[in-house]
Amino acid sequence: MNTPTIVASSDAAAAARFVDVFAAADFAGDVGPRMTCTEVDALAGMHRAVGADTAANTWVTAHAAEDHEGDDHHQA
């Protein structure tokens, strides 16, 4: 396994850009329902890892809106 070299300033900039691009509620609403539970959990996990909990919850909620019974995020 390759271990990347971490450069704090460029990592922070990349994380901020990631959140800027993927935190939009309308984007989450369009794409989230089409993602698998595993995919949305991974995306939400990245948001949480950089402190963007609201964005993470937005993606999970958008995904859950059209999740089917028996799926991880299904809301009865």
Side-chain angles (χ1 to χ4, degrees), residues 4-58:
T5 301
I6 297 173
V7 179
S9 63
S10 65
D11 287 348
R17 180 69 176 140
F18 176 84
V19 171
D20 285 345
V21 170
F22 286 96
D26 58 339
F27 183 49
D30 290 342
V31 178
R34 291 162 181 75
M35 297 174 79
T36 66
C37 293
T38 301
E39 292 166 343
V40 82
D41 283 341
L43 183 56
M46 286 298 297
H47 276 96
R48 287 187 183 101
V50 297
D53 293 339
T54 300
N57 294 337
T58 298

Side-chain angles (χ1 to χ4, degrees), residues 57-73:
N57 294 337
T58 298
W59 276 93
V60 172
T61 299
H63 168 77
E66 294 188 30
D67 231 4
H68 301 287
E69 188 173 339
D71 288 345
D72 290 344
H73 303 107

